Amino acid sequence: MDITIHQAYLPQTDPDAALAFYRDTLGFEVRNDVEYQGLHWLTVGPPGQPETSIVLTPPAADPGITEDERKVIAEMMAKGTYAGINLATKNLDEAFEKVQAGTAGEVVQEPTEQPWGVRDAAFRDPSGNMIRIFESK
């Protein structure tokens, strides 16, 4: 069996701020930009890896979600506990400096050697999603 990760979804509350973080700060390509009935979906991914994308989606856009559920999702996003993704880079210090210098990310953890054997840093994107960047060797 040959299965790859094609797309992961993260919620975004401000498509312009999401673009500033994922395109302008992280350097991802914009692969799709869809606006429908006032809602905005952005598909971004790392250059040279067209098979892997993140879809930045309006939170709670599913019509089956209740107003109470939307409220809980909004509260969790504001606290940074709703969604996240792990990324990897060969040069964590360079990535950290770039995200720290950007206007759209919030530093949660500086580059740190973890006791479980990885070195990583953490940020919150403009919508509150936890973005961990691991140093790959």
Side-chain angles (χ1 to χ4, degrees):
M1 184 175 340
D2 183 18
I3 297 175
T4 61
I5 296 174
H6 182 62
Q7 293 180 326
Y9 285 74
L10 287 177
Q12 56 80 16
T13 55
D14 180 337
D16 293 331
L19 275 177
F21 183 75
Y22 288 94
R23 182 192 61 201
D24 303 338
T25 300
L26 295 183
F28 284 3
E29 301 172 332
V30 176
R31 299 195 178 137
N32 203 1
D33 185 340
V34 176
E35 191 166 350
Y36 178 71
Q37 295 185 342
L39 300 176
H40 209 127
W41 287 259
L42 297 161
T43 304
V44 298
Q49 299 177 39
E51 302 86 12
T52 305
S53 299
I54 300 171
V55 181
L56 303 166
T57 182
D62 186 328
I65 294 178
T66 67
E67 283 307 312
D68 286 343
E69 291 168 330
R70 281 188 175 85
K71 182 179 175 188
V72 169
I73 290 169
E75 290 170 354
M76 291 179 72
M77 286 180 70
K79 291 175 24 182
T81 58
Y82 184 68
I85 193 165
N86 293 343
L87 306 174
T89 181
K90 292 192 181 300
N91 189 335
L92 179 61
D93 293 320
E94 178 183 44
F96 180 80
E97 293 296 324
K98 189 168 184 180
V99 174
Q100 191 176 34
T103 59
E106 173 191 346
V107 175
V108 175
Q109 173 205 298
E110 294 188 4
T112 303
E113 291 286 344
Q114 301 292 354
W116 51 88
V118 300
R119 183 167 183 262
D120 67 354
F123 303 90
R124 288 180 59 192
D125 77 4
S127 296
N129 300 304
M130 183 65 70
I131 311 298
R132 297 196 76 85
I133 302 177
F134 290 71
E135 187 166 67
S136 61
K137 299 185 180 183

